[in-house]
Amino acid sequence: MTDKRVPAGQRGRGASPTEADGTGTAETEAGGTGAGGTEVASTATESVPPAPGTRRPGGRTARTRAAVRDAVLTGLADHGYPGLTVEYVADHSGVHKTTLYRRWGGLEGLVADALDMAGEDSWVPPDTGSLEGDLRELAREVVDSFSDSSAASAPTAFVAAAFQSERAAQALHAFYAERFTRCTAVVARAVERGEADTDIDAAALVRAVSAPLLLRVFITREPIDSALADQSAAAALAATRAGAYNRR
Amino acid sequence: MTDKRVPAGQRGRGASPTEADGTGTAETEAGGTGAGGTEVASTATESVPPAPGTRRPGGRTARTRAAVRDAVLTGLADHGYPGLTVEYVADHSGVHKTTLYRRWGGLEGLVADALDMAGEDSWVPPDTGSLEGDLRELAREVVDSFSDSSAASAPTAFVAAAFQSERAAQALHAFYAERFTRCTAVVARAVERGEADTDIDAAALVRAVSAPLLLRVFITREPIDSALADQSAAAALAATRAGAYNRR
């Protein structure tokens, strides 16, 4: 269940996952103290604004929210968005259906909140000391996050759900926007070291690193591996050095 | 209907659409002569192997196949894969439901065949005389193909359907594989002109040009424009010049 509570491919690593989830664990445990899920989440992600189109109902414990999120992820992974029902989430979370409707509004709200929680982690991009190393690590983390089908199932289900639910689409957009914003720290450090120009479009660069990988995973359905990650990182580095991402 | 018979974003242009569809039109008209859809398709795409996971029932006219394809695309665009039914296709194509089941097997076969037909066009990549110009044109064609929501709806529905149907996923994979293979002509010409090394990974380069654009359209749901296209092309060109796509 740990791997599903932390939806691989949706959490970080250059718009991809992490294996361990300190924040999620803390959140779940904090729930036992009676702290509200919203408050704990706020503490864990002070700099992360709430995703548009989602809401975080207050008053329930973080433990309840995590249990519901786990059930949503399991359901998405096993049945996809079309097969997911509020009944399923109720059965697998132990939270009554009427509570789910009251607090999350329904299925779209449940999925959006699960995605929102996926963004509430403490992931930070690699800091290897060089742009080359950082970009390579970012790309490799994306590949690692899709290394097996169980890790890939939840993020894939989120991307699929976004095609069917406007609210999920908004939550997915917000997730990636926030995730890529974290990645720009890599570019800021590169600028400080003189490895990139001050007018570089950092948002474009960090997206370029993972784009060829996510294209293959979610759209063309082609395999990815560490060699492809390295190639993508090398290409992004070369383009950076040539000034291709500089604003004109 | 023309725009839907030619699913923008799914046909070419660096894994994207074309506006006009000479092949599709010829195919429809050829149907009137009694030529089989399969035969016409073979003529139009001699070098294109049938998509795995799809089949092309023989014997029906190309006109029938085109009408069915139109209905599938309209249905996907209007209702998405979860809302599409064989009944809908029958109603909108004028082809009896039992015929649809007999010839296409069911909904998955209908969607896979529509995607298969989307790949049966005469699109060829740009040939501007330079790799720089060709990559820029490829990227801009992708942007143009998603310039309005009606053009984008059918390809988006195909990508969405692939998340829910293994057969659609196989057809989508085959579509993009064939489309990107056509794009490698751009790289072959660049190698001949000495603009790229002979050991360049052409498949990786052509995917890299459209990846940042398709990532934003289908996954992160961010806007794309011609400036982003030019940036993506410039980055791919710089990476090519630096040897980042060369096989090691």
Side-chain angles (χ1 to χ4, degrees):
Chain A
M1 193 60 91
T2 302
D3 59 322
K4 292 187 175 166
R5 194 179 63 223
V6 183
Q10 294 298 317
R11 298 190 51 248
R13 305 186 159 188
S16 95
T18 55
E19 297 299 328
D21 183 13
T23 305
T25 303
E27 204 175 271
T28 302
E29 288 168 354
T33 69
T38 304
E39 291 156 18
V40 172
S42 299
T43 303
T45 58
E46 283 175 327
S47 61
V48 183
T54 65
R55 69 192 184 92
R56 297 180 188 168
R60 67 180 183 283
T61 66
R63 190 181 294 279
T64 297
R65 191 175 172 222
V68 169
R69 182 261 320 265
D70 286 352
V72 169
L73 293 178
T74 304
L76 282 177
D78 291 350
H79 304 289
Y81 187 76
L84 187 65
T85 61
V86 174
E87 285 74 10
Y88 178 98
V89 177
D91 288 347
H92 287 74
S93 67
V95 178
H96 200 276
K97 201 168 74 168
T98 56
T99 305
L100 296 177
Y101 276 111
R102 189 175 70 247
R103 292 186 175 167
W104 280 270
L107 200 59
E108 284 197 300
L110 285 164
V111 171
D113 193 46
L115 240 173
D116 206 21
M117 287 185 81
E120 295 168 7
D121 65 352
S122 54
W123 181 85
V124 291
D127 186 4
T128 65
S130 74
L131 180 61
E132 181 173 10
D134 287 356
L135 295 181
R136 189 186 302 121
E137 278 307 300
L138 276 176
R140 287 186 177 183
E141 286 188 17
V142 173
V143 172
D144 288 348
S145 68
F146 293 102
S147 56
D148 65 84
S149 59
S150 73
S153 62
T156 301
F158 274 130
V159 173
F163 285 101
Q164 295 159 58
S165 157
E166 180 54 32
R167 195 158 165 193
Q170 290 170 345
L172 188 69
H173 169 83
F175 171 85
Y176 275 114
E178 192 276 325
R179 191 63 32 159
F180 282 125
T181 297
R182 291 193 209 183
C183 292
T184 60
V186 159
V187 186
R189 288 194 296 262
V191 170
E192 284 171 19
R193 286 188 297 255
E195 296 178 291
D197 286 344
T198 53
D199 65 344
I200 191 168
D201 181 350
L205 169 55
V206 297
R207 281 161 178 77
V209 175
S210 55
L213 305 169
L214 298 178
L215 169 78
R216 287 169 171 84
V217 169
F218 291 129
I219 305 173
T220 65
R221 288 146 200 284
E222 297 169 299
I224 61 175
D225 58 21
S226 60
L228 194 65
D230 291 355
Q231 182 191 61
S232 182
L237 181 69
T240 299
R241 288 176 173 166
Y245 296 117
N246 291 352
R247 294 189 180 84
R248 292 138 205 267
Chain B
M1 195 59 89
T2 303
D3 59 322
K4 291 187 176 167
R5 198 180 58 225
V6 184
Q10 293 300 316
R11 298 189 52 248
R13 302 186 160 188
S16 96
T18 56
E19 297 299 328
D21 183 13
T23 305
T25 304
E27 202 175 271
T28 304
E29 288 166 355
T33 69
T38 303
E39 290 155 21
V40 172
S42 300
T43 303
T45 58
E46 284 174 324
S47 63
V48 184
T54 65
R55 68 192 185 94
R56 297 179 187 168
R60 68 181 185 280
T61 66
R63 190 181 294 280
T64 297
R65 190 174 173 225
V68 169
R69 182 261 320 263
D70 286 354
V72 169
L73 293 178
T74 304
L76 281 178
D78 291 350
H79 303 290
Y81 187 76
L84 186 65
T85 61
V86 174
E87 286 74 12
Y88 178 98
V89 177
D91 288 347
H92 287 75
S93 66
V95 178
H96 200 278
K97 201 169 72 169
T98 55
T99 305
L100 295 178
Y101 276 112
R102 191 175 67 248
R103 292 186 175 167
W104 280 271
L107 200 58
E108 285 198 302
L110 286 164
V111 171
D113 193 47
L115 240 174
D116 206 21
M117 288 185 81
E120 294 167 8
D121 65 351
S122 55
W123 180 87
V124 291
D127 185 5
T128 65
S130 74
L131 181 60
E132 181 172 9
D134 287 355
L135 295 181
R136 190 187 301 120
E137 278 306 301
L138 276 175
R140 287 184 176 182
E141 286 188 16
V142 173
V143 172
D144 289 348
S145 69
F146 293 104
S147 55
D148 65 82
S149 59
S150 72
S153 61
T156 302
F158 274 131
V159 174
F163 283 101
Q164 295 160 59
S165 157
E166 180 54 33
R167 195 158 165 192
Q170 290 169 345
L172 188 69
H173 170 84
F175 170 85
Y176 275 113
E178 193 277 323
R179 191 63 33 160
F180 281 126
T181 296
R182 293 193 208 184
C183 292
T184 59
V186 158
V187 186
R189 288 193 296 264
V191 170
E192 284 170 19
R193 286 188 298 256
E195 295 177 294
D197 287 343
T198 53
D199 66 344
I200 191 168
D201 181 351
L205 169 54
V206 297
R207 281 162 177 78
V209 175
S210 55
L213 305 169
L214 298 178
L215 169 78
R216 287 169 171 84
V217 169
F218 291 129
I219 304 173
T220 65
R221 290 146 199 282
E222 297 170 297
I224 60 174
D225 57 22
S226 60
L228 194 65
D230 292 355
Q231 182 191 62
S232 182
L237 181 70
T240 299
R241 288 175 174 165
Y245 297 117
N246 292 352
R247 292 188 180 84
R248 292 136 204 269

